[in-house]
Amino acid sequence: MAQGSKYKVAFRRRREGKTNYDARMKLVDLDKSRLVIRISNANVIAQIINVGENGDETVVSAHSKELKKLGWLGGTKNTSATYLTAYLCAKKALDKGVEKAVLDIGLKSSIKGAKVFAGVKAANDAGLDVPYGESIVPDDDRIAGVHIAEYAKSLDDEEVKKHFSKYLERGLQPVDLPNHFEEIKNKIEKA
């Protein structure tokens, strides 16, 4: 451990690798709402957060578990679920009067085509103004799961049962994923 009178211990969340305070200060100084998208091992959470006097204040929040209530049969942590969750969050934010936000990806690396950027595209598609570059978001076919449907078409029945057992347990044929995605998106639009 470092020694000396000028040594300063970093904040606990910095030591644990949970918060980059330099990046956070830049976002807080903007004095705008933040679109926060977090992807865990099982779910996706999208939130609109404002800076308050006593800390962050969550304006609206959407969780990928809410998609199941709308009839979503796909996974809750994939690109499609990220898009739909952020779309739902943006619709809720518009209802609360939030029209603009900036993206907060936390400690995630900014990688072209990442799930987080599918969420940004969803927020903009819903009508929320979140600045982003077109080159960084995933393709529409990837967001809707067309690549999964095409892969499932190339497999025989036994391989489909082996690779897509969770989808089949929920009652979703992998070749129907793009249509199911559009159906859920339309339900969110009407809600």
Side-chain angles (χ1 to χ4, degrees):
M1 180 137 172
Q3 299 177 0
S5 61
K6 295 194 180 222
Y7 179 72
K8 183 178 176 185
V9 177
F11 291 131
R12 178 185 54 82
R13 289 186 61 85
R14 179 66 186 138
R15 289 192 315 265
E16 293 172 352
K18 292 181 179 178
T19 302
N20 180 345
Y21 284 99
D22 292 332
R24 178 164 170 66
M25 285 306 295
K26 289 176 186 172
L27 289 171
V28 169
D29 282 346
L30 291 174
D31 198 31
K32 293 182 182 175
S33 297
R34 296 186 329 242
L35 171 63
V36 178
I37 299 174
R38 299 292 184 257
I39 302 167
S40 71
N41 289 338
N43 297 299
V44 176
I45 301 169
Q47 299 173 318
I48 300 293
I49 296 179
N50 288 335
V51 177
E53 290 181 21
N54 298 324
D56 289 344
E57 298 171 352
T58 304
V59 179
V60 293
S61 180
H63 198 282
S64 58
K65 289 181 182 178
E66 293 178 55
L67 299 176
K68 289 184 177 185
K69 294 175 186 171
L70 295 169
W72 177 247
L73 300 173
T76 56
K77 65 177 183 178
N78 58 22
T79 305
S80 300
T82 303
Y83 181 94
L84 292 171
T85 304
Y87 195 82
L88 180 61
C89 180
K91 286 295 184 185
K92 289 179 179 180
L94 291 169
D95 289 343
K96 291 271 185 157
V98 178
E99 296 177 359
K100 291 184 178 184
V102 292
L103 177 64
D104 179 357
I105 62 172
L107 295 174
K108 293 281 186 192
S109 299
S110 180
I111 299 171
K112 180 180 178 180
K115 294 177 197 175
V116 172
F117 297 115
V120 174
K121 182 171 179 8
N124 278 284
D125 290 350
L128 189 67
D129 183 21
V130 182
Y132 71 100
E134 283 290 328
S135 63
I136 201 159
V137 298
D139 295 333
D140 290 339
D141 287 347
R142 186 149 196 93
I143 291 171
V146 172
H147 64 292
I148 294 172
E150 289 175 359
Y151 176 66
K153 286 178 188 174
S154 70
L155 301 175
D156 63 15
D157 289 342
E158 286 301 315
E159 290 175 322
V160 168
K161 288 178 186 174
K162 179 181 173 184
H163 292 291
F164 296 103
S165 61
K166 292 288 183 188
Y167 280 13
L168 297 173
E169 281 176 19
R170 295 183 202 119
L172 176 64
Q173 291 293 325
V175 294
D176 297 334
L177 184 60
N179 295 333
H180 184 59
F181 172 83
E182 288 298 326
E183 177 185 319
I184 299 301
K185 185 179 174 188
N186 290 335
K187 281 185 180 179
I188 294 171
E189 184 69 38
K190 292 175 184 173

